[in-house]
Each structure stands twice: as C-alpha cells, then as structure tokens.
Amino acid sequence: MREDASAPAIQLLGVSQRFGDYVAIQGVNLEARAGEFVAIVGPTGCGKSTLLNIVAGLRPPAEGEVRIFGEALTGLNRQAGYLFQADSLFPWKTALENVMLGLLLRRVHEREARERARIWLAKVGLAGFEDHYPHQLSGGMKKRVALAQVLILRPKILLMDEPFGALDVQTRQLMENELLALWQEDRKTVLFVTHDLEEAIALADRVVVFSAGPASRIVGDFQVELPRPRDVAEVRLTEDFLKIHREIWSLLREEVMRAHAR
Amino acid sequence: MRARVRLLQVLLLLFLVLGWEFSVRLGWVDAFFFSKPSDIAARIAEWFQTGEIYGHLWITLWETLLAFVIGTVFGVVMGLWLALAPTASAVLDPFIKAMNSIPRVILAPIFTLWFGLGVASKVALGVTLVFFVAFFNTYQGIKEVNPVVLANARMLGASGRELLKHVYLPSAASWIFSSLRTSIGFAVIGAVVGEYLGAAKGLGYLISQAEGVFDTTGVFAGMVVLAVFVVLLDWAVSRVEARLLVWRPEPGREGGTV
C-alpha cells in the first residue's frame, strides 16, 4: 500500500452519517497527525461512536471522505485497532486464545502466536490468567485482555470508544496510566472517545468537542500542552490542567445542557 | 438444600408408588385397568432376566441415535445457511413453517409405506421432528450473535469462513446444545411412535403388543423402561454439553475475581 509519511494519519473530509432519517453527524472535518493522541468529547448521543465506526471502516459514511495516511479508505481500516465500549472478547476463548486470534488470522504460526500472546498478557499484567475465560475475569481484567488483543497486532491507529467507561474510578485511573505507558512506547495515533472531560484532558494531546446530536459537528478543538509522561491522577491537580478544563468546560457545558433540554 | 430436595423426591415417589400399590390391593381400583407397581417391577425384572428386552431396547436406541444425528446435522446446516443467506431465508420461510405445522404422527403411515416396517421409517419420522428443533435453534443462535464481538472479529482480520469458525458457530453452540436435549427427546418420540404404529421390534412395539392383549402391566412396564431410557440419554447429552461448553458462566456466577 502506498503511504505518504507526511500525510495525516487520519483525515475526515466533510463526513456525515445517517441512520434512516436520523442525521447522526454532519460535515465533520478532522485531522490527526501520526503519533497524536486525540480525545473526542461531547454529550451522550452526539455520534462519537458513529465517528469511530466510520474511521474503522465498519460503516462507510453517507457523505464525505476518509483518508488514512493519505489513502482513501475503502472497506475495513486495516491500519486500525478498535477497543470497543462493550465487552468484545470472545467468551468461548480463553484470555490467551483471545489475544492470539488476530495473529492466527494473519497466518502467524500457532506456536509463535501463543508465545507472543503470552508476552502481551504479561505486559498488561495478566500473567497467570492465560487459561481463564472472560466470564472468570473482572471488568478491568477484560479490558486489559481486549487491549492486548488489539495491541499485539501493532496497529498504527488505535480507536478507543469509552473503553474504561464501565470501570470503577480506581481501576480506571490504573488503566489510563497503563494505556499512557503503552502508548509512550511507540506513539500510535489514537482517537479516544469519552464523555468524561477530565479523562480526555489527562490523556490527550488534543481535545475535540462535539455538539449535541442530532447532526453533531465539531464545535471546539483545544491543544493540551501538559508535559509527558503524565500521571492521570496527579496531572488533574495542576494549575494548567484546571485552566484548560475551565476553558473547554465552558463550551462543553452548553452542549451538555442542550443535549439534556431535548 | 440439595440433599433435602432429593429426600423429598424419594418420599414423593414412595408415596405415589405405595399409594398405587395399596389402592389396588385394598380393591379401591381395578388391577385390570391399572395393574400394580409390584407386578410392573416383576415384569421388568423378568424382561431383563430372560434378556427379552434387550433386542427391543437396542432397536429403539439405534433408531433414536440415527434420527438424532441425521436430524441435527441437517438442521444445523440448514440453520446456518438460512441465517447467513437472507434471500434464501425469505423465500423458504413459509415452506418451513408449513412443513413444521404438520402433525408428525400423520406422516408415520406414509413413512411405513415408503420405507417399510424396519428401522428406516422410524428414523425418517424422528428426523422430521429433530430437524426443526436443531434448525430453529441454530438459526436463532446465528441471528443473536453479539454484534460487538462480530465487529471485533472483523477488525482483528476475520472474514468469511473465519467468522463462521470463530464467531458464528461457537456463538450458536450454546443454542444448538440446548436444542440437543430437546432433540433427543423428540428422536425417542419419533422412534417409539413409529414402532407403535407398525413395527416388528422396539419399545413402542412392545407397548403396542401389550395393549393389544389388554396387558396393562406390560404397558406400564414398557413406559417405565422408556422413561428410564430417556432420562439416561438426556443425562448423557447434558454431560457432553457441559464438557463442550466450559467457557459458559454458571448462572449467577458472572464476574469472578477482581
């Protein structure tokens, strides 16, 4: 595949999506540089997941174009790994088999796939849980398996749809820090969807704000100039963090209110 | 708790059996119409002692297993195909519903005509019952595949046959397996009803012979043997099911350790 190194990793040009008569998102233009961590925030039901599905190639947009490293996207996005909001593990496979699957589908030899999956499970802190089935794991552990399942394939782009939304606060901060540590290793391009502004600022280089649906669009785009590496719990207490938070919240608040008014 | 349930079950059985026995012995009900447990037990013992029963049991078991396997394989294959091919499914839908609405007993004489008095006609009858159970469950199982898991598999690079292997089949497996318990029951019904209506061997034949000479003891003895036979088959299937579906959470034990 021809790839343009200078081209943005993700480029959305005038992208809209409809479900029947319902317009989910309208006229979205968004760019993410290679290696950039972009968080997308917005009120519930603003079409953030719709956007990720478009970038993943799971559902082509009704209008507009998606370019991945300069190439127009047709079909599934083979450069992207997707961490879903809901449980996406295969319940009939053990943790190890779940992590191995992507490699097997890429015709990696079974023995090698098993070895590499073992390493990745250890990397996400689940050594010793290889033979557990998803139902035997806690919510946080399932997310770790899902993360290993996606990262083992070394995608250039990571799409994350409120991945930690269902976790308790402590587990969540732990997972956020681990995500940052893993991301620091090879700086993938990340699109991270969340409705939690604090999480967005703590993790991302840039925070993009979506308006309330229907016909959501981008209403704000903020750089987050906080030093890395960050600790998500500590960074929240810094003056700079609070300043950015106030700035974005004043905008996001209106959208949240509008979403509630509906 | 479990022990208590078992105890109550045994007590209930004893109560019923003894109640029956003494009702007959005290002359409250007529032994000609109702026989009595001690006679039935003696008859069953006699069947097993003389070895007379084994031939019948074997034939019924053989018919049951054949109907079970053939019907399940056909049902699963058709279920898979129609669940994944919307057009074919839309076209065939009314035909399948119409065929399923036919009371199978009506088919028994036709099958006897077509396939003779032997094993084949009973298997055919059982297949018409088992097929639909396996078919509907497989179809439903495929339709209820978790869309997130499916999307995940596609993002990880699965397509076509790989989706079938890693997502659709395992996902439908719990539906298919729960259908197996029902299916084995239906397979027995097919075999026994077929034998009852025309055969030279089998438990259904045995019962029908006893009825022919107003031998109520024989009828009840046949029914008891049949019931035990079905319970054993059901137990065997549930063991296989438990072995193959180890990944499934036990009801009420979702979550596990933190």
Side-chain angles (χ1 to χ4, degrees), chain A residues 56 58 76-78 80 82 84 87-93 101-102 105-107 133 135-138 141 149 153, chain B residues 146 148-149 151-158 162 166-167 170-171 246-250 253-258:
Chain A
L58 284 170
L76 285 182
N77 187 345
R78 291 281 165 221
Y82 199 145
F84 294 84
D87 267 346
S88 61
L89 294 179
F90 302 84
W92 43 84
K93 291 181 187 290
L101 179 62
L105 293 171
R106 276 163 186 70
R107 308 274 174 271
Y133 286 95
H135 78 88
Q136 297 167 314
L137 301 173
S138 69
M141 291 160 113
Q149 186 181 50
L153 300 174
Chain B
N146 181 339
V148 178
V149 173
N152 190 25
R154 292 179 63 207
M155 288 307 292
L156 292 173
E162 293 157 349
H166 293 290
V167 183
S171 172
V246 281
W247 54 269
R248 219 168 35 169
E250 288 167 43
R253 245 202 88 252
E254 187 89 31
T257 48
V258 178

Side-chain angles (χ1 to χ4, degrees), chain A:
Chain A
M1 197 186 287
R2 186 177 55 87
E3 262 176 41
D4 186 351
S6 64
I10 303 168
Q11 198 173 20
L12 300 177
L13 300 165
V15 165
S16 304
Q17 186 66 291
R18 279 186 208 94
F19 301 101
D21 288 335
Y22 181 81
V23 181
I25 56 174
Q26 177 125 49
V28 171
N29 293 298
L30 179 67
E31 257 185 47
R33 281 183 288 108
E36 196 174 25
F37 197 128
V38 180
I40 297 173
V41 294
T44 344
C46 73
K48 296 170 297 206
S49 306
T50 307
L51 189 84
L52 281 196
N53 285 339
I54 291 172
V55 177
L58 284 170
R59 201 185 164 112
E63 278 163 34
E65 197 186 344
V66 182
R67 288 191 193 154
I68 303 301
F69 293 106
E71 283 271 295
L73 177 68
T74 51
L76 285 182
N77 187 345
R78 291 281 165 221
Q79 314 270 6
Y82 199 145
L83 207 60
F84 294 84
Q85 180 177 12
D87 267 346
S88 61
L89 294 179
F90 302 84
W92 43 84
K93 291 181 187 290
T94 62
L96 192 74
E97 287 166 350
N98 263 287
V99 178
M100 284 167 64
L101 179 62
L103 292 178
L104 293 182
L105 293 171
R106 276 163 186 70
R107 308 274 174 271
V108 173
H109 203 274
E110 158 122 27
R111 277 243 312 268
E112 192 196 334
R114 197 169 281 276
E115 262 334 289
R116 279 162 69 183
R118 217 175 273 284
I119 293 169
W120 265 100
L121 269 182
K123 216 164 168 172
V124 295
L126 287 179
F129 289 93
E130 287 82 1
D131 297 330
H132 282 59
Y133 286 95
H135 78 88
Q136 297 167 314
L137 301 173
S138 69
M141 291 160 113
K142 278 190 251 192
K143 282 297 168 201
R144 285 160 204 260
V145 176
L147 196 60
Q149 186 181 50
V150 167
L151 291 181
I152 198 171
L153 300 174
R154 307 213 157 277
K156 295 207 172 103
I157 296 170
L158 191 53
L159 307 172
M160 307 180 86
D161 186 4
E162 302 198 26
F164 309 139
L167 304 180
D168 63 84
V169 180
Q170 286 86 3
T171 314
R172 190 169 173 169
Q173 293 195 344
L174 215 65
M175 291 294 297
E176 287 165 359
N177 275 333
E178 280 173 32
L179 171 66
L180 281 185
L182 286 169
W183 175 74
Q184 212 87 28
E185 279 179 18
D186 59 353
R187 298 250 172 173
K188 299 170 195 314
T189 309
V190 180
L191 269 194
F192 190 101
V193 160
T194 176
H195 61 256
D196 179 350
L197 180 55
E198 288 196 25
E199 183 181 43
I201 300 172
L203 293 174
D205 297 318
R206 230 172 97 204
V207 175
V208 174
V209 181
F210 266 68
S211 71
S216 292
R217 61 206 159 77
I218 294 175
V219 289
D221 194 332
F222 301 83
Q223 289 291 326
V224 179
E225 312 276 1
L226 296 171
R228 290 192 190 273
R230 299 176 192 162
D231 180 289
V232 291
E234 284 168 20
V235 80
R236 275 166 220 237
L237 307 172
T238 62
E239 197 50 49
D240 288 339
F241 183 94
L242 296 173
K243 202 174 126 235
I244 298 169
H245 190 277
R246 264 195 299 275
E247 197 182 341
I248 305 179
W249 178 240
S250 64
L251 176 67
L252 184 58
R253 214 179 112 191
E254 281 174 43
E255 296 304 330
V256 173
M257 301 295 259
R258 287 212 304 139
H260 274 286
R262 267 196 190 94

Side-chain angles (χ1 to χ4, degrees), chain B residues 179-237:
Chain B
S179 83
L180 293 189
R181 309 270 304 269
T182 321
S183 292
I184 198 88
F186 274 123
V188 175
I189 291 174
V192 171
V193 169
E195 287 162 3
Y196 185 84
L197 292 175
K201 236 176 177 171
L203 285 178
Y205 166 79
L206 197 64
I207 293 172
S208 125
Q209 287 297 301
E211 272 181 7
V213 294
F214 302 110
D215 172 16
T216 40
T217 306
V219 174
F220 281 115
M223 277 162 48
V224 171
V225 172
L226 187 59
V228 173
F229 175 74
V230 172
V231 167
L232 288 178
L233 278 179
D234 184 74
W235 175 80
V237 171

